[in-house]
Amino acid sequence: MKVFVVKKAGFCFGVKRAIKLAFDCAKRKNEKVFTWGPLIHNPQVVENLKKKGVCAVEDLRKIKKGTLIIRSHGIHPKILERIKKRKIEVVDATCPFVKRAQKKARLLSHQGYQVAVVGEADHPEVQGIMGYVNGSALVINQNRSKRNLPHFERLGVIAQTTLSLDAFKQTIGELLEKADELKVCNTICHATARAQRATLKLASKVDMMIVVGGHNSANTNRLAKLCKGLRTPTHHIETAKELRRNWFKGKTSVGVTAGTSTPDWLIQEVVESIRKCN
Ligand code: SF4
């Protein structure tokens, strides 16, 4: 059985940067280091950070003093204001691609558009973006019907950075008849788009795909969904322990891909375990 791994699967630039900032802070500071929510959507990495003294919090009362790291997903500006008032040192690890989406949302709002974000309403990145338009943005789930949406004079649309390009295109098509004027800003990040393209290419050639990454990771879930969309048998796992030998019976080729929040060592463990299932 041949095992193929998507080139550049795993950590993207934004996640690498956030993790480096967190570990550097933990090394440098004598004080406690916190992250606002889990730094990334990968439980194994969050656990490693905890061992180094970097703890996730989402309640300001739990921070008496220390350094707080804003994760790559960004933060709602009102929460940031409250944090700054408490004189807690802030290290901003918001990914530049997320910052770009925040700025686009604000600009569209200033230009008089009803802002819409295509993505998941409960995702921290989307919740943060909402803060840049005073909570007045609509969140449109790409999988739900757009039938009940009202008609808008001017609608300005952006995407959650990890959305798939196809889902964004399809949603935009559906929104065309919902507005007199539709302005679209493609805010999908390059790393996500590249990983999705490479994953689709590999998934179309192999007998089965293994997608590695947090079950709570939006972009990992999307990779699994894309593979399943090609009708390639696909398993989404967090660690090698979840692999089952019977999945590989009769398979001659297996592809491995990983979300942008999956560390290399987890991908390597999975690849080695798959080889042992041969
Ligand atoms: S997936 Fe894209 S937007 Fe998200 S942290 Fe990585 S580079 Fe930034």
Side-chain angles (χ1 to χ4, degrees), residues 18-203:
I19 289 177
K20 184 176 180 324
L21 282 170
F23 278 121
D24 285 355
C25 264
K27 244 191 252 163
R28 222 172 354 100
K29 305 275 176 187
N30 293 324
E31 290 177 337
K32 285 195 169 166
V33 179
F34 302 92
T35 60
W36 188 254
L39 186 68
I40 59 170
H41 284 153
N42 186 284
Q44 290 71 32
V45 174
V46 171
E47 194 49 41
N48 281 350
L49 282 163
K50 205 168 161 190
K51 284 181 195 152
K52 300 273 177 199
V54 182
C55 296
V57 290
E58 266 172 299
D59 180 353
L60 266 184
R61 288 168 302 185
K62 292 198 175 144
I63 313 175
K64 300 285 176 247
K65 57 179 184 171
T67 301
L68 181 80
I69 299 167
I70 309 296
R71 56 187 164 182
S72 54
H73 302 309
I75 194 169
H76 194 294
K78 286 226 167 91
I79 300 176
L80 187 58
E81 244 171 61
R82 277 172 44 214
I83 293 169
K84 283 185 174 164
K85 271 190 198 143
R86 301 202 43 178
K87 304 208 183 332
I88 298 163
E89 191 184 332
V90 175
V91 173
D92 189 358
T94 307
C95 175
F97 287 113
V98 175
K99 283 212 162 137
R100 183 172 161 263
Q102 294 167 344
K103 282 184 191 152
K104 289 280 182 199
R106 178 175 273 171
L107 185 68
L108 286 168
S109 175
H110 284 171
Q111 290 172 341
Y113 290 93
Q114 164 62 56
V115 178
V117 186
V118 184
E120 294 151 36
D122 57 355
H123 193 279
E125 178 194 317
V126 175
Q127 289 171 349
I129 291 172
M130 297 292 275
Y132 286 79
V133 286
N134 294 323
S136 66
L138 269 176
V139 182
I140 297 180
N141 185 309
Q142 69 276 15
N143 299 320
R144 297 220 184 102
S145 161
K146 320 292 176 292
R147 226 182 16 232
N148 294 331
L149 283 177
H151 195 86
F152 300 97
E153 232 175 86
R154 306 179 82 204
L155 187 62
V157 191
I158 65 166
Q160 186 176 334
T161 53
T162 51
L163 191 71
S164 81
L165 187 60
D166 281 345
F168 194 40
K169 279 186 193 165
Q170 192 185 329
T171 306
I172 295 303
E174 291 171 88
L175 290 177
L176 271 175
E177 55 187 35
K178 290 287 178 187
D180 294 339
E181 186 192 338
L182 185 70
K183 185 163 177 176
V184 180
C185 300
N186 181 0
T187 48
I188 295 172
C189 94
H190 301 320
T192 300
R194 202 176 41 227
Q196 289 173 353
R197 275 197 306 273
T199 296
L200 276 171
K201 198 170 165 195
L202 181 58

